[in-house]
Amino acid sequence: MAFNKSLAGYYDDLAHVGIPTDDLKKTIAFWEKLGFKKQGQFDTGDQGHQVVFMKAGHLMLEIWDSDGAVHKTGAINHISLNVEDADNAFKAAKEEGFDVKEDEVQHLDFWKHGIKFFNIVGPNDETIEFCEVVKD
């Protein structure tokens, strides 16, 4: 794919909302009560910590227990936008002068083939992640 579009042209939907927790079981139970279903659970590789993905409709939550909850308004850690090409989206973000948190696209072994992602900082210090679930 030719690199010729702005970062705004790379995402097509919300990928997930990231929420840290102090109590993974309690948090899972809360979201299940609201109708969310567990889609996947992964070891983070950080001293036994876990990350769980839960879904209702097309809304996905990423919940993890390694950072601890903030326990006040503003407790959501990040909003993630779905991209099909994280590498070129990263190039577009750098080219357009966004405040990119990483020096390169990051990789994690979530899902069957992993994910690729990077984060930018918004005007209120919010984190916006651009996430590609690798297809193969």
Side-chain angles (χ1 to χ4, degrees):
M1 172 186 295
F3 173 63
N4 62 2
K5 59 183 172 179
S6 73
L7 181 57
Y10 280 98
Y11 71 88
D12 60 6
D13 202 352
L14 180 70
H16 62 264
V17 175
I19 305 171
T21 182
D22 293 329
D23 187 332
L24 193 58
K25 286 183 182 183
K26 181 179 177 182
T27 303
I28 290 169
F30 173 85
W31 288 103
E32 284 176 337
K33 191 173 181 179
L34 285 174
F36 283 73
K37 306 284 186 220
K38 190 187 300 185
Q39 301 297 298
Q41 185 163 347
F42 305 94
D43 183 352
T44 65
D46 179 21
Q47 301 175 358
H49 292 289
Q50 300 285 304
V51 60
V52 172
F53 289 87
M54 299 187 74
K55 189 173 186 179
H58 82 280
L59 179 57
M60 181 80 76
L61 303 177
E62 175 190 24
I63 304 163
W64 67 94
D65 63 357
S66 59
D67 292 330
V70 176
H71 296 285
K72 63 181 181 178
T73 301
I76 291 174
N77 177 273
H78 67 276
I79 296 173
S80 178
L81 302 175
N82 184 66
V83 297
E84 297 294 324
D85 186 352
D87 295 313
N88 278 323
F90 180 81
K91 290 176 188 173
K94 296 289 269 187
E95 174 103 353
E96 293 174 49
F98 284 100
D99 183 1
V100 181
K101 288 187 167 189
E102 298 83 14
D103 292 329
E104 61 186 20
V105 174
Q106 305 296 297
H107 303 265
L108 287 171
D109 293 330
F110 298 166
W111 308 114
K112 185 175 181 180
H113 298 288
I115 64 168
K116 298 163 93 175
F117 69 96
F118 66 93
N119 299 283
I120 65 171
V121 179
N124 305 295
D125 293 324
E126 63 272 29
T127 298
I128 301 98
E129 176 184 85
F130 292 80
C131 183
E132 173 186 351
V133 176
V134 179
K135 304 292 187 228
D136 54 22

